[in-house]
Amino acid sequence: MNERKILRVSALVYTGISLCVAILFFVAASALGYSMMARVGGTVWVFLLSMIVSMPIVTSYCKKRLRV
Amino acid sequence: MPVEKKAGDEVIGGTMNKTGSFRFRATKVGRETALAQIIKLVEDAQTSKAPIQRLADWVAGHFILGVHALALLVFIFWFFVGYNAFFDPSTSFLLSPHKLGEIGVFGFSLLLSITVLVISCPCAVGLATPSAMMAGTGKAAEHGVLFKGADAIEAASKLTTIVFDKTGTLTKGEPSVTDVINSHPYLTRSLSACGEGQGEVRGEGMGVRVEELEVLRLAAIAEKNSEHPLGEAIVRAAHEHNIEIPSAESFNAIPGHGVEARYQGKEILLGNRKLMAERGVDISALLAQAEELERDGKTVMFVAQDRKALGLIAVADTLKEYSVEAVQQLHRLGLSVVMITGDNKRTAEAIARQVGIDRVLAEVLPQDKANEIKKLQAQGQRVAMVGDGINDAPALAQADVGIAIGSGTDIAKETGHVILIKEDLRDVVVAIEIAKATMRKVKQNLFWAFIYNTLGIPIAAGLLYPLAKIVVSPELAAFFMATSSVSVTLNTLLLKRFRPSLKMLAEGAKRSAPTVVTAPTGGE
C-alpha cells in the first residue's frame, strides 16, 4: 500500500476512534443528566483531545502494519 | 620520515618524491588505487555507524502525547467524579483573590484540563539539549576546537581511549638533527689550535660543543646541494647554529648510501655503514653510540674526512611542542592513550617513550588502522582517533570520535568529527573537557526541566484541590512554564564561565611567576 493510502486509512481509523470516544462521553453525560452546554462542550473537548492522542499512535501503527 | 625506494619497489600515488625523478608503471588505476580504497573505507565506516538516539527528543515527543492523554483523563475525572465530590464555590485561583463561583462542571473540568496542557509544555525539555550544545560548541570554537555536530560532543564526553597517529600528529613529521657526536681527537686539537671558543652551545633539542659543530659543519658542506630530506635536516641544523656553509668543490650523491663531497682538497663522506665499509673507513669507535641512538629510533649517519671517521650525526622525527603535556593531561583525565603508526616497532617505541605513551600499535598499514580501532571498540572502549593524514581517514571515520588536526589533509578534516584549528595537541584535552562540561549541563537542564514538570503537572491536575481548595489558573501555569525555560537557559549560560584545566594551569603559573621590575639606568 502506498504512503497516501496508508495516511487515508489511518485518518479514517483515528477519526473513528475519536468519534466513538466522544459519542460515549455524550451518552454518559446525557445519562447522568448534565446540561446541554456541558454535554456539547465536553464532547467537543473530548473529541479534540482524542484526535490529538490517537493520531500519532494510529498513524505509526498503520505505517508499520500496512507498508508492503 | 622518508623511505628509501630502489628499482623494482612499489610506490603509491600521491607520495612525494624528494630526490630526482624516476619512471614507474601504473599497476592499479581508478577504484584499485590506494586513495580510492581509503575513500571506500571511509564511506563504509561512516555508513556503518549507528545513529545516536536522541533521548531528550524521544522523551519530549512521547511526553506531549502523554500530557494530552493526561489532560483528557483529568477532564473526564473532574467532569464525572471530581466536581461533584470536591467542588467548593468559594475556591480561588492560586495567588489570586478571584473566586471560581458559578463556573459549572464543564468550565471547571476544562479549566483544569487546559492548565495541565499549559503547565506541562515541554519547551524546557526541548531547550535543555540544543541550548547546552550551542553553548558548548561556541565555547569550543573560542578555544580553537570545532565540533561538527552534537553527536561528536556526546561521544567525546564518553571516551575511554585516545589513539594518536605518530607522524605529523605527535611528531613534527619532518626529520631534525637530534645528536652530533665527535669521535676524533684530531678535530678537537685542530679546533683548539685555531683558537675557536670552548664550552657548549645549546641548540634546540641538543647540546653541541664546538668540536661537534665542526662535524655538523662538514656534514652540512657535503649536503649543501642535496635534496634528500636527511640532508636538508643537517643543513637546517647548521643554519640554526649560525654555521656558515661554504660550497663544496664537488658533490656526488650515492643512492642508498649517502654523499661524498670535496672541500679544500679533502674528501668528506657522509652516509651509512655500507658507505663507510666500501670506502674503508674505520667506524668501530662510533658503533656503540650509533647502536644506542638507533635503539631510540634515530637514523645515524657517519661523517668521515679523508677516510678518517670524525663523528656521527643522528636524525629523527621530533615531538611537537605540546605532545608530552597533552598526553600527561589525558592520563590525568583517566584516559588510556595509544599510539598507532606504520613505522617499525623500534622507532615507534622510542617516540612513545619520549611522549609517555605505554601502548604502541606499530607497523600498521593504513587500511588496518581502522581495524585496530574496531578491535579496541570490540573490547568495549570508546575510542577517539587523532590524526592528520590521508591514511588516517578510515580510522578517523571508524572511531567514535575522529579528531583531525587543522593543518592536516582535507580528507582527514572532512572525515573527522572534531577539527583542531591550531596544531596544538593540548586542544584534544580541551575538546574532551568541553564535551564533558556540555553533557553535564545537558543532564542538569533535563533534570530541572523534568523536576518542574513532575511537580507542576499534579498540582495543575488538581491533586491538591480536595485538601487546599486552590487551583492554578492557566495564565499562572503559562508563567511557570516560561520560568522553567528561563531557568534552563540561565543554567546553560553558566557554561560561558567554563575554562579548560590547561588554561587555568597556565593562568595560575603566570600569576605565581615573580614580577621583574627593571630599575631605570643612566643619567637623571
Side-chain angles (χ1 to χ4, degrees), chain B residues 274-458:
Chain B
K274 264 191 257 171
L275 180 69
M276 297 298 147
E278 276 175 16
R279 301 299 172 93
V281 181
D282 178 18
I283 52 167
S284 53
L286 288 163
L287 282 177
Q289 285 162 305
E291 278 164 16
E292 197 184 324
L293 291 166
E294 282 169 342
R295 265 198 297 277
D296 287 341
K298 296 172 182 175
T299 304
V300 172
M301 286 173 285
F302 297 92
V303 184
Q305 195 177 38
D306 285 344
R307 314 278 158 125
K308 280 183 219 145
L310 298 184
L312 60 80
I313 292 179
V315 174
D317 193 1
T318 48
L319 289 177
K320 279 186 185 170
E321 197 179 355
Y322 298 115
S323 298
V324 176
E325 202 182 334
V327 171
Q328 278 174 352
Q329 281 294 324
L330 290 168
H331 278 141
R332 211 166 292 161
L333 288 175
L335 296 161
S336 156
V337 184
V338 180
M339 188 177 85
I340 195 164
T341 177
D343 282 1
N344 64 65
K345 211 167 180 182
R346 195 178 60 186
T347 310
E349 279 173 354
I351 290 287
R353 264 199 306 279
Q354 287 174 42
V355 80
I357 291 175
D358 36 36
R359 189 164 175 202
V360 179
L361 303 170
E363 293 165 19
V364 182
L365 296 171
Q367 55 268 38
D368 293 335
K369 282 188 177 181
N371 285 334
E372 292 294 338
I373 301 286
K374 257 188 211 168
K375 278 184 204 164
L376 289 168
Q377 287 170 325
Q379 290 163 16
Q381 305 283 328
R382 287 176 181 271
V383 186
M385 168 77 196
V386 188
D388 69 329
I390 294 172
N391 60 347
D392 299 323
L396 286 170
Q398 177 59 44
D400 295 285
V401 181
I403 303 176
I405 310 282
S407 58
T409 56
D410 286 344
I411 191 167
K413 284 185 276 183
E414 186 62 36
T415 313
H417 309 103
V418 180
I419 298 171
L420 307 182
I421 296 171
K422 293 173 279 172
E423 220 179 316
D424 187 341
L425 279 190
R426 294 178 301 176
D427 287 345
V428 174
V429 183
V430 171
I432 292 168
E433 285 183 345
I434 289 178
K436 281 181 191 269
T438 306
M439 287 313 291
R440 261 200 310 275
K441 205 49 81 181
V442 168
K443 284 172 191 164
Q444 284 170 10
N445 284 351
L446 285 173
F447 171 79
W448 286 115
F450 279 114
I451 202 80
Y452 159 81
N453 279 317
T454 313
L455 295 174
I457 291 171

Side-chain angles (χ1 to χ4, degrees), chain B residues 7 36 45 47 95 129 187 276 331 383 486:
Chain B
T47 51
L95 303 174
T129 307
L187 195 61
M276 297 298 147
H331 278 141
V383 186
V486 170

Side-chain angles (χ1 to χ4, degrees), chain B residues 104-381:
Chain B
V105 63
F106 170 64
F108 186 71
S109 308
L110 187 64
L111 180 78
L112 291 176
S113 181
I114 287 174
T115 307
V116 167
L117 287 179
V118 173
I119 210 163
S120 59
C121 169
C123 49
V125 179
L127 266 177
T129 307
S131 66
M133 289 296 177
M134 275 176 72
T137 46
K139 195 76 204 169
E142 262 178 45
H143 291 94
V145 178
L146 298 181
F147 283 96
K148 281 195 188 167
D151 302 6
I153 294 188
E154 201 171 333
S157 71
K158 295 172 186 166
L159 292 172
T160 56
T161 302
I162 312 289
V163 180
F164 280 100
D165 160 54
K166 184 181 82 69
T167 313
T169 303
L170 284 170
T171 67
K172 289 174 183 165
E174 58 173 29
S176 316
V177 172
T178 57
D179 302 83
V180 181
I181 293 169
N182 160 52
S183 66
H184 206 273
Y186 137 81
L187 195 61
T188 313
R189 278 200 306 276
S190 67
L191 281 168
S192 303
C194 290
E196 290 201 26
Q198 295 294 315
E200 199 169 282
V201 181
R202 288 270 161 202
E204 194 187 7
M206 60 172 183
V208 186
R209 285 181 216 278
V210 280
E211 306 87 44
E212 287 152 5
L213 283 178
E214 183 59 11
V215 173
L216 184 61
R217 190 177 79 95
L218 290 172
I221 291 169
E223 290 281 12
K224 192 178 180 184
N225 298 315
S226 167
E227 291 173 347
H228 196 281
L230 299 182
E232 286 173 351
I234 289 171
V235 173
R236 205 167 45 244
H239 283 310
E240 279 165 13
H241 288 89
N242 300 318
I243 296 171
E244 205 178 303
I245 312 169
S247 294
E249 289 143 18
S250 67
F251 167 82
N252 180 32
I254 310 156
H257 289 71
V259 293
E260 61 179 335
R262 188 160 283 280
Y263 173 64
Q264 290 182 342
K266 291 178 178 173
E267 182 196 46
I268 305 169
L269 286 176
L270 176 71
N272 56 19
R273 285 181 179 81
K274 264 191 257 171
L275 180 69
M276 297 298 147
E278 276 175 16
R279 301 299 172 93
V281 181
D282 178 18
I283 52 167
S284 53
L286 288 163
L287 282 177
Q289 285 162 305
E291 278 164 16
E292 197 184 324
L293 291 166
E294 282 169 342
R295 265 198 297 277
D296 287 341
K298 296 172 182 175
T299 304
V300 172
M301 286 173 285
F302 297 92
V303 184
Q305 195 177 38
D306 285 344
R307 314 278 158 125
K308 280 183 219 145
L310 298 184
L312 60 80
I313 292 179
V315 174
D317 193 1
T318 48
L319 289 177
K320 279 186 185 170
E321 197 179 355
Y322 298 115
S323 298
V324 176
E325 202 182 334
V327 171
Q328 278 174 352
Q329 281 294 324
L330 290 168
H331 278 141
R332 211 166 292 161
L333 288 175
L335 296 161
S336 156
V337 184
V338 180
M339 188 177 85
I340 195 164
T341 177
D343 282 1
N344 64 65
K345 211 167 180 182
R346 195 178 60 186
T347 310
E349 279 173 354
I351 290 287
R353 264 199 306 279
Q354 287 174 42
V355 80
I357 291 175
D358 36 36
R359 189 164 175 202
V360 179
L361 303 170
E363 293 165 19
V364 182
L365 296 171
Q367 55 268 38
D368 293 335
K369 282 188 177 181
N371 285 334
E372 292 294 338
I373 301 286
K374 257 188 211 168
K375 278 184 204 164
L376 289 168
Q377 287 170 325
Q379 290 163 16
Q381 305 283 328

